[in-house]
Amino acid sequence: MTDQYTLQDPTKMYADIDTKAQYQEGSGLDAKLRDKADHGEKTYRGTGRLSGRKALITGGDSGIGAAVAIAYAREGADVAISYLPEEKEDAQRIVGLIEAEGRIAVALPGDIVNPAVCREIVAMAVEGLGGLDIVVNNAGKQQFRESLDEITDEQFDETFKTNVYAMFWITKAALPHLKPGSAIINTSSIQAYAPSEMLVDYATTKASINAFSKALAQQLAPKGIRVNVVAPGPIWTPLQTAGGQPPVLLPAVGESTALGRWGQPAELAPAYVFLASPEASYVVGETLNVNGGSPTP
Ligand code: NAD
Ligand code: MG
């Protein structure tokens, strides 16, 4: 039985996952991903690094957020996940995996483009978990458009509301509950540094997330609250197959990395565990890039 500590050649991992062209309508379901992503279900081994902690993870139903939810539960945390109501099927599976660890799972459906929903999500997480000390802003919207005039005002607005405004609303609502020692982790992207021509709106939000996080990290450090960022490279998740990239380009996107393959959600979870845990007590305002080897500033 392998786990995340087993020595493996990173160029050869996940050779069995076929990241071929595929497309799904809507926001994308893990359940409908033709070639299943790995969220660490069979491999993530906890060592008590988040024992007794209480975490809210937005977009915890699938992809990176789901891998983080599984890892946090196995590290001993109770976990609330927020997600789009239409992704309930994926969310229920992750709730089951959290509960299988003997931890509390709180399911929070709701569209976070609405500020009232964001505040409600935080309130329900606090109530369901009995407090809050880790906030992972991870939900995101990414829709490729080949030219600027194809980006409607509605898309531009929704991408910003989901990726930037919701992070602001959720963080602001969570702050009164966060005691010294708490951690906020935001999900940026390689797109913040190496923006694709087809992801103008999305890339702009990801650069915003970096700036927001570094500014807020300075402000909250004196209160004992650490803010950090994880910036993933191409990771095999429903978002990518639901219009995040043109389907025909999906194989090339993974091959473009130094490791020559897509990353899997399971490979992101340890970064979020590290930044949430007291091991990272002196790590503030940092962006941890997990991108298969694309140089960043
Ligand atoms: P994903 O589709 O599995 O997860 C995103 C989740 O966000 C969805 O499951 C959904 O429940 C939630 N969400 C989206 N819009 C929402 C809304 N309006 N209200 C409530 N919830 C909403 O995809 P993922 O790739 O795991 O994405 C997680 C994060 O990682 C995103 O911020 C994304 O931008 C970022 N990211 C992904 C990649 C990648 O290659 N997959 C690369 C860099 C950054
Ligand atoms: Mg999902």
Side-chain angles (χ1 to χ4, degrees):
M1 178 74 179
T2 63
D3 59 27
Q4 77 272 29
Y5 301 116
T6 306
L7 183 68
Q8 295 185 70
D9 177 348
T11 66
K12 305 226 157 51
M13 290 168 72
Y14 300 113
D16 57 328
I17 296 182
D18 195 346
T19 49
K20 276 203 296 281
Q22 49 190 288
Y23 179 71
Q24 36 174 325
E25 290 289 339
S27 55
L29 275 183
D30 175 57
K32 289 202 182 133
L33 207 54
R34 201 184 56 203
D35 296 294
K36 291 287 168 242
D38 179 16
H39 310 91
E41 291 92 335
K42 295 208 177 84
T43 52
Y44 192 92
R45 179 161 64 88
T47 55
R49 294 163 74 191
L50 300 176
S51 192
R53 306 290 297 274
K54 299 168 191 310
L56 167 62
I57 304 167
T58 66
D61 56 302
S62 61
I64 296 164
V68 175
I70 292 168
Y72 278 13
R74 292 189 185 171
E75 295 291 356
D78 294 324
V79 182
I81 59 170
S82 104
Y83 51 93
L84 276 172
E86 55 264 39
E87 298 177 39
K88 182 178 176 192
E89 180 183 355
D90 284 351
Q92 281 177 327
R93 189 177 78 87
I94 301 306
V95 163
L97 287 167
I98 296 166
E99 289 175 344
E101 299 304 318
R103 309 308 317 178
I104 296 171
V106 181
L108 301 168
D111 189 336
I112 60 172
V113 303
N114 180 334
V117 170
C118 290
R119 291 190 274 271
E120 182 72 7
I121 280 171
V122 171
M124 288 171 71
V126 170
E127 194 189 314
L129 299 172
L132 190 63
D133 44 41
I134 302 171
V135 178
V136 178
N137 287 299
N138 164 78
K141 179 181 171 69
Q142 172 183 333
Q143 283 291 309
F144 84 89
R145 298 290 174 220
E146 275 164 17
S147 68
L148 197 65
D149 53 43
E150 285 175 30
I151 304 178
T152 61
D153 291 358
E154 288 73 25
Q155 170 169 332
F156 192 82
D157 195 47
E158 269 189 30
T159 305
F160 267 80
K161 291 256 168 69
T162 310
N163 300 3
V164 180
Y165 282 56
M167 169 184 68
F168 165 68
W169 291 322
I170 286 169
T171 304
K172 196 171 166 183
L175 266 182
H177 303 282
L178 301 182
K179 297 190 183 65
S182 297
I184 298 169
I185 304 163
N186 297 328
T187 303
S188 170
S189 169
I190 181 66
Q191 289 292 324
Y193 313 107
S196 303
E197 60 184 290
M198 282 184 281
L199 294 174
V200 172
D201 56 340
Y202 176 82
T204 308
T205 65
K206 292 298 172 176
S208 302
I209 291 167
N210 276 353
F212 175 91
S213 305
K214 284 177 193 289
L216 190 66
Q218 308 300 306
Q219 188 187 118
L220 298 185
K223 299 182 197 302
I225 300 168
R226 295 177 301 102
V227 183
N228 287 288
V229 179
V230 176
I235 311 303
W236 189 247
T237 70
L239 165 142
Q240 295 286 3
T241 62
Q245 305 281 346
V248 292
L249 290 186
L250 285 173
V253 169
E255 285 158 16
S256 70
T257 67
L259 286 179
R261 65 166 176 86
W262 283 86
Q264 289 295 323
E267 296 180 280
L268 271 293
Y272 288 83
V273 171
F274 169 67
L275 292 173
S277 95
E279 290 169 301
S281 56
Y282 207 55
V283 181
V284 175
E286 176 60 15
T287 305
L288 187 37
N289 293 282
V290 186
N291 65 24
S294 304
T296 55

